[in-house]
Amino acid sequence: MPVFDLAATPLRALNQALHGVAPGANDTEFEVLNPRGQHAVAVGIDGPVTVTVRGPVGYYCAGMNDGGTVTVQGSAGPGVAENMMSGTVVIEGDASQYAGATGRGGLLVIKGNAASRCGISMKGIDIVVHGSIGHMSAFMGQSGSLVVLGDAGEALGDSLYEAKLFVRGSVKSLGADCIEKPMRPEHRAHLAALLDRAGVADVRPEEFRRYGSARKLYSFNIDNADAY
Amino acid sequence: MTYQNPPMPPRKSATFDDHTLAEIRRAAATGIYDIRGGGTKRKLPHLDDLLFLGASMSRYPLEGYREACGTGVTLGTRFAKKPIALKIPITIAGMSFGSLSANAKEALGRGATLAGTSTTTGDGGMTDEERGHSDILVYQYLPSRYGMNPRDLRRADAIEVVVGQGAKPGGGGMLLGQKISDRVAAMRDLPKSIDQRSACRHPDWTGPDDLEIKIGELREITDWEKPIYVKVGGARPYYDTALAAKAGADVVVLDGMQGGTAATQDVFIEHVGQPTLACIRPAVQALQDLGLHRSVQLVISGGIRSGADVAKAIALGADAVSIGTAALVAIGDNDPAYEEEYRELGSTAGAYDDWHEGRDPAGITTQDPELAARLDPVRAGRKLANYLKVMTLEAQTIARACGHNHLHNLEPEDLVALTLEAAAMARVPLAGTDWYPGKAGF
């Protein structure tokens, strides 16, 4: 298994190696030591590689991941897994702002808390946060699911499109056009599958509330001017 | 004896002119501000207010049609492994699939390729047709991130991080539901037929320091091969250019107020930003102050229409220009051949700007398959190539007359201003004097 010690090896060498893995290659497991908060660790992965990062990372770790499995044994800075296309990213610590922003697919699991704007402009990514999330999360969320086992901050789901939000704890406030919706059997099944994929075994879908778009702001209407 | 007024026509207010009155009535009747495409319609200080000083005695001209005048430009020489070499310093600005039809995007790609220059994607992401017909394609990384994916980043020739747009610096976009076809909706990960908002700011960074890190991420993803452009709206050109360069841009694209848009509020188009003419010198100054002029290339856009505009922008310090609205006109936008249909839409050829409604008779700003089929992308591409080549020939003619064997040898000393405003904005002398406002010692 290739090991990259970022205390001794440039980040460029790591990312180049990850990009250079040929389809069907056998040596697809990587270990990264001493990331020490560096930005853009393991970005642009384009295949089924597995990367274990032992320590905290800076901005945009696993950005645009497409098919890889990245585990960070530490905390992540802003923009972790931004615009992820597919694959899995697991943060064993906390994540900073805009985790999973604009993600179009794949699964992001944050075992700690996530700061503000988690899932902002999400476009198909699924995000499971074991802890709590900050304000303005899922702002303009288009599709995909955001699951929060803890609490959500202010203005959850502001200007939401079709993203599905599930929160187990309290929600400080809902953003414009975001409403609580009933949990029907299909939603519980969807949530149960997500929890299972994220390795969450000790909570039940019935413990969550579902939030989504009221769809009142989908087309401009001057009578809704107070909401803009 | 009493004085009687002679018969006089009624006098209308200059403040409340017919257009203003009509707009007040329209707003009162509909309850919504006017949304439209195009760019500014009112007269603004522009490059027209500058003149070139052709050579006579104190300078020595080159022979037109005989002595060569170079037009090539290379963009992205600062950090990128694969800079872009263009035959002409005129590029096609970003315009989205969704706003424009697929045929229109194809025509832009064909025309740009024939002329040896680049075209640019837009808010809707990259289409295969666009990639296939553009030898050199710049991929816009926009706040909306519609259609954004690393596969398209890798098959682009350059990446343009869009921070602002001249027609609406600080503003987002709105693609109305009537233009959201199945394909457009799928590319944008949104339901069909709803209004699609393009955000005014990037969701995952909050300032120039974040931008620097974002650019680092994009470079890592694309193995440092692609030039990174940063596009800003012409509002605070000195600081925005300086910060874009500081953030690591290879190329700064500065879009002045006369730049176009697919659809936004009329009040925004007409009242936010600065004229293109006013933006160029502060941007050049910023790069000069940082010691980066010419190593970070500057592309100017916003109302560029002719070879004279090209030459003037370059003389003021730009490395290249970019055209959007003019390119659409070249491929058939607002063509008088469709005058009857424009009238049915309540407009006229040359004034049609309801691009967001998707009923464009020219088949350019629409997703209606019947209308879009009216535009022959091969013929339209040929027209665009002709236009680009004419602009280049015009700019060469001017440069030769000023004694230069390359467009990039044009300089501010080749210019004078017709008006005080232009002299102040362009920092070139008022015609017949050696003075411009703000120049010390006079």
Side-chain angles (χ1 to χ4, degrees), chain B residues 371-440:
Chain B
L371 292 173
R374 291 180 176 185
L375 187 75
D376 176 352
V378 177
R379 185 164 170 267
R382 181 72 248 174
K383 287 161 69 179
L384 175 60
N386 286 343
Y387 171 59
L388 289 167
K389 289 176 181 177
V390 167
M391 289 175 90
T392 306
L393 281 170
E394 288 174 343
Q396 286 174 298
T397 298
I398 289 169
R400 285 195 192 95
C402 293
H404 300 305
N405 65 357
H406 196 289
L407 293 182
H408 285 152
N409 294 338
L410 286 160
E411 55 189 342
E413 287 71 17
D414 291 316
L415 293 166
V416 293
L418 277 172
T419 65
L420 281 173
E421 290 86 351
M425 293 175 187
R427 302 180 195 172
V428 300
L430 186 66
T433 79
D434 56 1
W435 173 82
Y436 59 83
K439 185 179 181 183

Side-chain angles (χ1 to χ4, degrees), chain A residues 11-13 15-16 19 39-40 43-46 59-60 62-66 78-79 82-83 85-86 97-98 101-102 104 117 120-121 123-124 136 139-140 142-143 158-162 217-220 222 228, chain B residues 30-33 35 81 141 143-151 153-154 174 176 186-191 193-199 201-206 210 213-214 216-224:
Chain A
L11 175 72
R12 186 81 280 272
N15 286 327
Q16 205 156 24
H19 300 170
H39 308 316
V43 296
I45 290 173
D46 189 25
Y59 279 64
Y60 304 123
M64 299 202 195
N65 176 42
D66 198 356
E82 73 88 20
N83 216 98
M85 300 297 292
S86 66
Q97 303 176 87
Y98 24 89
T102 75
R104 301 185 66 197
R117 307 205 229 175
I120 186 170
S121 285
K123 293 170 163 57
M136 288 294 280
F139 174 64
M140 289 175 76
Q142 295 179 203
S143 64
D158 192 285
S159 301
L160 199 64
Y161 287 99
E162 292 294 299
L217 303 182
Y218 273 19
S219 294
F220 182 83
I222 194 64
Y228 296 116
Chain B
T30 64
I32 185 172
Y33 41 48
I35 292 177
K81 287 182 196 168
Y141 189 72
S144 69
R145 309 278 167 84
Y146 289 143
M148 169 51 56
N149 67 64
R151 299 156 215 163
L153 279 178
R154 292 189 193 97
M174 177 79 88
L176 295 186
M187 285 182 68
R188 299 184 182 218
D189 304 293
L190 279 167
S193 300
I194 67 167
D195 297 348
Q196 298 193 353
R197 301 185 293 264
S198 297
R201 60 179 187 264
H202 284 264
D204 58 358
W205 47 271
T206 53
D210 280 6
I213 301 168
K214 170 58 72 177
E217 182 207 12
L218 294 171
R219 289 196 197 282
E220 281 296 320
I221 289 171
T222 54
D223 292 322
W224 289 74

